[in-house]
Amino acid sequence: MRARTLLLASLAAALLTLTGCGSSGGAASDGDAGASPSEASSPASPPAASSGGGAEGAKVPEALNFTATTVDGKPFDAKTLAGKPTVLWFWAPWCPTCKGQATETAKVATDNASKVNVVGVAGLDKNAAMRDFVSDTGTGAFPHLSDEKGEVWKRFEVTQQSHYVILDKTGKTVYEGVLPGGNGLAEKVAGLTG
């Protein structure tokens, strides 16, 4: 009986961690200064390249060696993102913080379409709700992955929605965290594109 109680308590704690709308800031990285512990061990951090090519024949870093399905049911191969900085925006359809980030994220995606990849990674709900979110927020100009099983979230060690992971053109994580309202996203992207 005690083991069952402990298991339920552990599951409840994990659920609270996954479902809380993020409100804390993230860690930025200038070299190693200010890097969060998860950046140091994140699968997105190592720039080691695997075989294959991305944009313009770029080497594909391990961070981008995955496939998924978009919210509209199309196959997505992250290898195609190689060679450009990439913004991964982890969101949930029911999250008001995520809705607040949508306009700025869409603006950054549009303004930097030729220089930066922006990809939404939807989770913590069903695909129908994810499609509705994209439609309601006007963020359909860039791809959104339907990550119902949380595979991409786990790959980047994301534990809360409304979270950004920004990779440089080599696949190294240069920022991860929450940007309330998307504020600061344009500046972080500009720092990667010169």
Side-chain angles (χ1 to χ4, degrees), residues 18 25-26 43 64 87 118 132 139 154 157 170 187 191-192:
L18 285 174
L64 298 177
V87 174
V118 177
D132 289 345
T139 55
K154 289 175 193 166
E157 299 179 359
T170 69
E187 291 78 9
L192 293 172

PDB file of all heavy atoms in Angstrom, residues 18 25-26 43 64 87 118 132 139 154 157 170 187 191-192:
ATOM      1  N   LEU A  18       5.521  18.795 -15.660  1.00  0.00           N
ATOM      2  CA  LEU A  18       5.287  18.849 -17.098  1.00  0.00           C
ATOM      3  C   LEU A  18       4.184  19.809 -17.489  1.00  0.00           C
ATOM      4  O   LEU A  18       4.205  20.383 -18.566  1.00  0.00           O
ATOM      5  CB  LEU A  18       4.939  17.462 -17.629  1.00  0.00           C
ATOM      6  CG  LEU A  18       6.113  16.512 -17.753  1.00  0.00           C
ATOM      7  CD1 LEU A  18       5.629  15.133 -18.142  1.00  0.00           C
ATOM      8  CD2 LEU A  18       7.111  17.006 -18.772  1.00  0.00           C
ATOM      9  N   GLY A  25      12.805  32.486 -16.109  1.00  0.00           N
ATOM     10  CA  GLY A  25      13.680  32.768 -17.243  1.00  0.00           C
ATOM     11  C   GLY A  25      14.591  31.598 -17.514  1.00  0.00           C
ATOM     12  O   GLY A  25      14.721  30.702 -16.700  1.00  0.00           O
ATOM     13  N   GLY A  26      15.208  31.602 -18.657  1.00  0.00           N
ATOM     14  CA  GLY A  26      16.117  30.536 -19.020  1.00  0.00           C
ATOM     15  C   GLY A  26      17.538  31.008 -18.912  1.00  0.00           C
ATOM     16  O   GLY A  26      17.818  32.129 -18.522  1.00  0.00           O
ATOM     17  N   PRO A  43      21.348  16.688 -25.187  1.00  0.00           N
ATOM     18  CA  PRO A  43      21.729  16.097 -26.457  1.00  0.00           C
ATOM     19  C   PRO A  43      21.871  17.153 -27.546  1.00  0.00           C
ATOM     20  O   PRO A  43      22.480  16.924 -28.554  1.00  0.00           O
ATOM     21  CB  PRO A  43      20.560  15.164 -26.790  1.00  0.00           C
ATOM     22  CG  PRO A  43      19.758  15.027 -25.562  1.00  0.00           C
ATOM     23  CD  PRO A  43      20.101  16.182 -24.682  1.00  0.00           C
ATOM     24  N   LEU A  64      19.980  17.344 -34.478  1.00  0.00           N
ATOM     25  CA  LEU A  64      18.980  17.406 -35.543  1.00  0.00           C
ATOM     26  C   LEU A  64      18.805  16.061 -36.245  1.00  0.00           C
ATOM     27  O   LEU A  64      18.243  15.997 -37.342  1.00  0.00           O
ATOM     28  CB  LEU A  64      19.356  18.486 -36.556  1.00  0.00           C
ATOM     29  CG  LEU A  64      19.422  19.900 -35.996  1.00  0.00           C
ATOM     30  CD1 LEU A  64      19.880  20.885 -37.071  1.00  0.00           C
ATOM     31  CD2 LEU A  64      18.084  20.323 -35.396  1.00  0.00           C
ATOM     32  N   VAL A  87      15.332  27.742 -34.083  1.00  0.00           N
ATOM     33  CA  VAL A  87      14.555  28.026 -32.883  1.00  0.00           C
ATOM     34  C   VAL A  87      13.515  26.919 -32.760  1.00  0.00           C
ATOM     35  O   VAL A  87      12.700  26.723 -33.669  1.00  0.00           O
ATOM     36  CB  VAL A  87      13.836  29.386 -32.976  1.00  0.00           C
ATOM     37  CG1 VAL A  87      12.922  29.600 -31.768  1.00  0.00           C
ATOM     38  CG2 VAL A  87      14.839  30.525 -33.104  1.00  0.00           C
ATOM     39  N   VAL A 118      12.515  28.164 -37.771  1.00  0.00           N
ATOM     40  CA  VAL A 118      11.671  28.218 -36.582  1.00  0.00           C
ATOM     41  C   VAL A 118      10.714  27.040 -36.680  1.00  0.00           C
ATOM     42  O   VAL A 118      10.052  26.850 -37.706  1.00  0.00           O
ATOM     43  CB  VAL A 118      10.888  29.543 -36.472  1.00  0.00           C
ATOM     44  CG1 VAL A 118       9.957  29.518 -35.261  1.00  0.00           C
ATOM     45  CG2 VAL A 118      11.848  30.720 -36.381  1.00  0.00           C
ATOM     46  N   ASP A 132      -5.805  23.326 -33.921  1.00  0.00           N
ATOM     47  CA  ASP A 132      -6.635  24.490 -33.582  1.00  0.00           C
ATOM     48  C   ASP A 132      -5.776  25.648 -33.078  1.00  0.00           C
ATOM     49  O   ASP A 132      -6.008  26.801 -33.431  1.00  0.00           O
ATOM     50  CB  ASP A 132      -7.686  24.124 -32.532  1.00  0.00           C
ATOM     51  CG  ASP A 132      -8.787  23.228 -33.077  1.00  0.00           C
ATOM     52  OD1 ASP A 132      -8.914  23.107 -34.324  1.00  0.00           O
ATOM     53  OD2 ASP A 132      -9.525  22.642 -32.255  1.00  0.00           O
ATOM     54  N   THR A 139      -0.026  31.017 -36.568  1.00  0.00           N
ATOM     55  CA  THR A 139       1.385  30.622 -36.622  1.00  0.00           C
ATOM     56  C   THR A 139       1.647  29.536 -37.670  1.00  0.00           C
ATOM     57  O   THR A 139       2.647  28.828 -37.591  1.00  0.00           O
ATOM     58  CB  THR A 139       1.860  30.121 -35.237  1.00  0.00           C
ATOM     59  OG1 THR A 139       0.993  29.065 -34.790  1.00  0.00           O
ATOM     60  CG2 THR A 139       1.876  31.243 -34.217  1.00  0.00           C
ATOM     61  N   LYS A 154      11.581  15.078 -24.832  1.00  0.00           N
ATOM     62  CA  LYS A 154      12.580  14.308 -24.074  1.00  0.00           C
ATOM     63  C   LYS A 154      13.972  14.479 -24.681  1.00  0.00           C
ATOM     64  O   LYS A 154      14.956  14.608 -23.958  1.00  0.00           O
ATOM     65  CB  LYS A 154      12.204  12.823 -24.048  1.00  0.00           C
ATOM     66  CG  LYS A 154      11.011  12.519 -23.193  1.00  0.00           C
ATOM     67  CD  LYS A 154      10.632  11.060 -23.318  1.00  0.00           C
ATOM     68  CE  LYS A 154       9.262  10.810 -22.722  1.00  0.00           C
ATOM     69  NZ  LYS A 154       8.725   9.499 -23.099  1.00  0.00           N
ATOM     70  N   GLU A 157      15.311  17.551 -23.434  1.00  0.00           N
ATOM     71  CA  GLU A 157      15.163  17.641 -21.978  1.00  0.00           C
ATOM     72  C   GLU A 157      14.260  18.800 -21.554  1.00  0.00           C
ATOM     73  O   GLU A 157      14.505  19.476 -20.555  1.00  0.00           O
ATOM     74  CB  GLU A 157      16.530  17.737 -21.303  1.00  0.00           C
ATOM     75  CG  GLU A 157      17.398  16.520 -21.565  1.00  0.00           C
ATOM     76  CD  GLU A 157      18.774  16.592 -20.932  1.00  0.00           C
ATOM     77  OE1 GLU A 157      19.103  17.604 -20.279  1.00  0.00           O
ATOM     78  OE2 GLU A 157      19.521  15.615 -21.086  1.00  0.00           O
ATOM     79  N   THR A 170      25.643  25.154 -35.991  1.00  0.00           N
ATOM     80  CA  THR A 170      26.327  23.866 -35.812  1.00  0.00           C
ATOM     81  C   THR A 170      25.511  22.890 -34.979  1.00  0.00           C
ATOM     82  O   THR A 170      25.928  21.756 -34.770  1.00  0.00           O
ATOM     83  CB  THR A 170      27.706  24.055 -35.139  1.00  0.00           C
ATOM     84  OG1 THR A 170      27.517  24.461 -33.780  1.00  0.00           O
ATOM     85  CG2 THR A 170      28.570  25.057 -35.890  1.00  0.00           C
ATOM     86  N   GLU A 187      16.106  39.471 -30.663  1.00  0.00           N
ATOM     87  CA  GLU A 187      17.493  39.836 -30.362  1.00  0.00           C
ATOM     88  C   GLU A 187      18.401  38.607 -30.313  1.00  0.00           C
ATOM     89  O   GLU A 187      19.528  38.645 -30.798  1.00  0.00           O
ATOM     90  CB  GLU A 187      17.568  40.590 -29.020  1.00  0.00           C
ATOM     91  CG  GLU A 187      16.939  41.974 -29.049  1.00  0.00           C
ATOM     92  CD  GLU A 187      15.406  41.972 -28.960  1.00  0.00           C
ATOM     93  OE1 GLU A 187      14.797  40.910 -28.711  1.00  0.00           O
ATOM     94  OE2 GLU A 187      14.818  43.034 -29.181  1.00  0.00           O
ATOM     95  N   GLY A 191      21.505  37.885 -32.948  1.00  0.00           N
ATOM     96  CA  GLY A 191      22.862  37.591 -32.496  1.00  0.00           C
ATOM     97  C   GLY A 191      23.470  36.393 -33.213  1.00  0.00           C
ATOM     98  O   GLY A 191      24.684  36.249 -33.289  1.00  0.00           O
ATOM     99  N   LEU A 192      22.631  35.524 -33.753  1.00  0.00           N
ATOM    100  CA  LEU A 192      23.115  34.343 -34.471  1.00  0.00           C
ATOM    101  C   LEU A 192      23.263  34.570 -35.964  1.00  0.00           C
ATOM    102  O   LEU A 192      23.968  33.840 -36.652  1.00  0.00           O
ATOM    103  CB  LEU A 192      22.158  33.158 -34.250  1.00  0.00           C
ATOM    104  CG  LEU A 192      22.105  32.610 -32.830  1.00  0.00           C
ATOM    105  CD1 LEU A 192      20.998  31.595 -32.710  1.00  0.00           C
ATOM    106  CD2 LEU A 192      23.442  31.995 -32.445  1.00  0.00           C
TER     107      LEU A 192
END
